[in-house]
Amino acid sequence: MAHIVIINPRFETSYWGMEHALPLFDVKANLPVACLPLLAALTPATHTVTLVDENIEPIDYGLCEKADIVALTGMIVQRFRMTEILTELKRRNCFTVVGGPWVTVKEDYFGNLVDVSFIGEAEETWPKFLAEWQEGHHARRYEQADKTDMSKVPVPRFDLLKMDEYAVGSIQFSRGCPFTCDFCDIIVVFGRKPRIKTSTQIIAEMEALLASGMDTAFIVDDNLIGNKKAIKEVLRDVVAWQERHHYPMTFLTEASIDLADDAELMQLMVDANIRVVFIGIETPNEEALRETKKLQNLRKGGTMLEKIHTIQQTGMEVWCGMILGFDSDDATIFDAQRVFIKDARIVNAMIGMLAAIPKTPLYTRLAKEGRLDHDDPPAYGTNVIPLNLSRETLRDGYLSVLSDLHQPAAYFDRLDALYIDARIEPESTRLRHLRRHPLRLLALNATWALEAVGIFLRLMRRVKEADLRATYRARLFNLLRHRRSPVVLQIYAIKCAMHYHAHIMVQQMRTGGGIVNSF
């Protein structure tokens, strides 16, 4: 039987990686990638599996050298580190297999460094490969003929990960997205027909996460509400489970902006204790939304700004992704992005330059137009050559917007606008339930308050800039003058840590530390 080592390579510093904030949370990584424990669960019990997340611990190449199979997964932003790891593994004559989003869209990228490649999903092909490897006649390339039947996906092996080293856990309800955004590789990898797990599976995963010591999880679906009818049924069962167990879990997730059109769905998400929803806003430039076929952001029922405010008023905070460099963007887009994010009261906005991922419609179109930079990495942080902006203008404008949004006054004014002026109520259903159980409510409020104090004290010790420390103190004390909510206090402390990460990241980028982007 085989000893299999499965590796997730170290990420480069990124907006959501939270690398500079992790010590403030006393953890080593933001969240585990979902595929590591899932691949372990798909591996027959006759084999031995070792999971290695390089974001948590160094790779033991001696162990890899002794293993029968060394598997790597990886996203676009991990491709350079993947190459380094594969080069070292081959130097040691290891048998290497690679899967994940990057090799799926760029199959020949690693060349002879890879013995076996997995394209797309692997719930069927991974066990098939292991059986064929055992018999001595495996293939060099595996790709499923059909998309995975999500009702047959096992509970991930969270027990094989060092879960106490992560800030939050990860859990998946569904795959696929019904929309047609031309820059997105989700429909390339997972398809346009949303596929969803059963409530029994999802609750089993929630219980496995809790057993691992994790009470907060990111629902990693690229669009949780891709099938609204089906997800409502699942959410009703999640709500019932939360009520039976006195709401032990908090969630974050991703959804499309048409969530705002469905009051019942929003309430179910609140009742399930989803605190944050990430939405792909992309741009306030409506022409760009049409050009990129992100038509769901242009549907009737209110402006994007109105829809964001509708979601916020339920108590869920909106995070968003924003993109600069669409064909219809000119130099006015930079101020338009600043104004929109301020008016939207979005505290955490991931800004990026448009990038063309292989196999997407955008990549195909730009390749035909001769507007792709094939250098790896490209000199200006993206492989797209913009139409109405010079590459220097796009890069400098991107850095300027990113910097301006994270100026302390701008960042915390948006935070105050949401939690002090609009007074949104996070986790309202959970708190209403726990008011019937005063001791549990007291314990939860004490936990939130202690977490806030712990983060605050680490900020005061670790942040070198006196003016930043003063800002964090002032904003936290100002909050306490207006609201004495332990959950909002915890949120503000987390936001201070998130701001510190973005502040350091922008400083490093401005002083030659590299452009943080997909390419």
Side-chain angles (χ1 to χ4, degrees):
M1 300 299 107
H3 177 205
I4 305 164
V5 177
I6 308 176
I7 300 172
N8 176 48
R10 182 178 65 245
F11 283 98
E12 301 294 329
T13 300
S14 67
Y15 188 81
W16 294 122
M18 300 295 295
E19 288 82 2
H20 303 298
L22 294 173
L24 303 170
F25 302 132
D26 196 26
V27 295
K28 292 181 179 176
N30 193 4
L31 77 165
V33 294
C35 62
L36 252 64
L38 178 55
L39 284 170
L42 291 165
T43 303
T46 50
H47 302 302
T48 301
V49 178
T50 301
L51 301 182
V52 179
D53 186 346
E54 198 185 13
N55 301 283
I56 296 294
E57 59 187 338
I59 298 170
D60 183 344
Y61 285 104
L63 178 68
C64 294
E65 205 167 350
K66 297 173 185 174
D68 299 291
I69 300 167
V70 183
L72 261 75
T73 185
M75 305 177 192
I76 295 172
V77 293
Q78 293 169 290
R79 68 191 185 280
F80 302 123
R81 182 58 184 154
M82 291 175 75
T83 300
E84 293 172 351
I85 293 169
L86 287 167
T87 300
E88 178 61 21
L89 291 173
K90 274 301 159 194
R91 190 182 71 80
R92 294 168 177 263
N93 296 315
C94 296
F95 182 86
T96 57
V97 306
V98 172
W102 179 239
V103 76
T104 292
V105 299
K106 194 69 172 174
E107 295 188 28
D108 60 349
Y109 188 82
F110 301 111
N112 294 329
L113 294 175
V114 178
D115 294 303
V116 179
S117 296
F118 289 83
I119 308 305
E121 297 172 298
E123 277 78 10
E124 296 173 15
T125 51
W126 176 248
K128 179 183 179 182
F129 155 71
L130 291 175
E132 291 178 352
W133 175 88
Q134 204 167 342
E135 295 168 0
H137 58 81
H138 64 82
R140 284 186 57 84
R141 181 188 185 277
Y142 287 85
E143 182 175 10
Q144 292 182 186
D146 300 308
K147 299 298 182 186
T148 295
D149 180 349
M150 295 298 285
S151 69
K152 297 179 180 178
V153 174
V155 175
R157 292 288 307 275
F158 299 119
D159 58 298
L160 296 181
L161 288 171
K162 296 177 173 64
M163 293 298 291
D164 59 341
E165 300 286 9
Y166 295 98
V168 299
S170 57
I171 187 171
Q172 187 173 60
F173 287 19
S174 67
R175 291 182 194 160
C177 179
F179 300 118
T180 57
C181 310
D182 77 344
F183 57 81
C184 186
D185 64 337
I186 299 307
I187 56 176
V188 174
V189 178
F190 294 128
R192 289 189 56 204
K193 182 179 180 181
R195 292 160 287 130
I196 194 163
K197 294 177 182 175
T198 66
S199 297
T200 301
Q201 289 171 288
I202 290 166
I203 288 170
E205 286 192 35
M206 289 162 54
E207 291 175 344
L209 273 173
L210 272 179
S212 74
M214 188 62 70
D215 62 4
T216 303
F218 198 104
I219 304 170
V220 299
D221 305 30
D222 295 290
N223 187 358
L224 178 70
I225 65 168
N227 183 332
K228 290 184 178 181
K229 181 179 179 181
I231 200 62
K232 285 180 182 180
E233 292 304 313
V234 166
L235 288 172
R236 289 186 184 99
D237 291 333
V238 171
V239 171
W241 181 90
Q242 291 270 43
E243 289 176 344
R244 286 196 306 273
H245 296 85
H246 305 295
Y247 277 84
M249 294 203 73
T250 298
F251 297 106
L252 306 82
T253 194
E254 303 180 46
S256 45
I257 200 169
D258 57 318
L259 168 64
D261 303 331
D262 194 322
E264 179 189 28
L265 181 52
M266 286 190 290
Q267 189 59 52
L268 281 168
M269 290 171 66
V270 170
D271 293 345
N273 208 35
I274 295 175
R275 183 194 280 190
V276 173
V277 57
F278 176 93
I279 295 175
I281 303 296
E282 320 309 1
T283 179
N285 178 359
E286 293 190 2
E287 188 178 345
L289 292 172
R290 292 187 187 92
E291 147 201 331
T292 198
K293 297 183 174 59
K294 196 163 185 104
L295 303 180
Q296 66 270 27
N297 286 24
L298 293 170
R299 288 180 178 171
K300 295 179 180 179
T303 65
M304 287 196 296
L305 207 56
E306 290 168 338
K307 291 186 178 187
I308 291 166
H309 289 167
T310 295
I311 296 167
Q312 290 168 338
Q313 287 304 323
T314 68
M316 290 187 290
E317 184 179 341
V318 174
W319 296 353
C320 77
M322 305 295 282
I323 296 175
L324 295 159
F326 290 111
D327 283 1
S328 57
D329 283 349
D330 57 25
T332 64
I333 191 60
F334 305 117
D335 277 338
Q337 292 269 19
R338 292 182 184 96
V339 170
F340 182 89
I341 293 167
K342 176 181 181 292
D343 292 345
R345 305 178 305 212
I346 292 175
V347 187
N348 298 104
M350 182 181 71
I351 311 293
M353 293 179 285
L354 181 67
I357 302 171
K359 294 189 180 181
T360 61
L362 176 66
Y363 189 94
T364 301
R365 176 171 68 83
L366 295 185
K368 289 179 181 177
E369 295 174 8
R371 292 175 49 213
L372 290 177
D373 181 348
H374 294 286
D375 288 347
D376 194 28
Y380 293 88
T382 173
N383 65 342
V384 172
I385 299 172
L387 194 61
N388 291 317
L389 295 163
S390 72
R391 301 190 78 186
E392 293 88 351
T393 299
L394 177 58
R395 177 200 60 199
D396 294 347
Y398 157 65
L399 284 171
S400 178
V401 172
L402 191 65
S403 178
D404 289 349
L405 289 176
H406 292 93
Q407 290 298 316
Y411 179 92
F412 285 101
D413 283 353
R414 297 195 303 274
L415 184 62
D416 288 348
L418 190 61
Y419 285 98
I420 294 178
D421 299 339
R423 296 188 69 85
I424 73 165
E425 298 284 350
E427 305 208 20
S428 57
T429 302
R430 181 190 204 182
L431 290 170
R432 185 167 60 248
H433 171 86
L434 290 178
R435 288 188 192 105
R436 301 194 299 271
H437 306 275
L439 291 180
R440 292 180 183 273
L441 179 59
L442 180 65
L444 180 61
N445 282 332
T447 298
W448 280 330
L450 288 172
E451 288 175 354
V453 169
I455 294 169
F456 175 76
L457 292 176
R458 293 187 192 103
L459 281 163
M460 293 304 103
R461 287 197 304 266
R462 292 177 179 270
V463 175
K464 295 178 181 179
E465 299 97 324
D467 58 338
L468 266 187
R469 294 198 304 272
T471 295
Y472 298 152
R473 284 195 300 269
R475 293 294 181 153
L476 283 164
F477 293 152
N478 180 61
L479 168 70
L480 291 173
R481 283 195 294 271
H482 291 87
R483 297 188 72 172
R484 298 293 178 89
S485 163
V487 65
V488 178
L489 179 64
Q490 184 228 31
I491 288 169
Y492 262 63
I494 292 171
K495 294 297 187 185
C496 288
M498 294 178 76
H499 174 266
Y500 179 66
H501 165 69
H503 168 78
I504 297 297
M505 188 185 77
V506 171
Q507 277 190 334
Q508 292 177 346
M509 291 166 66
R510 281 199 166 278
T511 56
I515 299 291
V516 178
N517 205 39
S518 297
F519 278 80

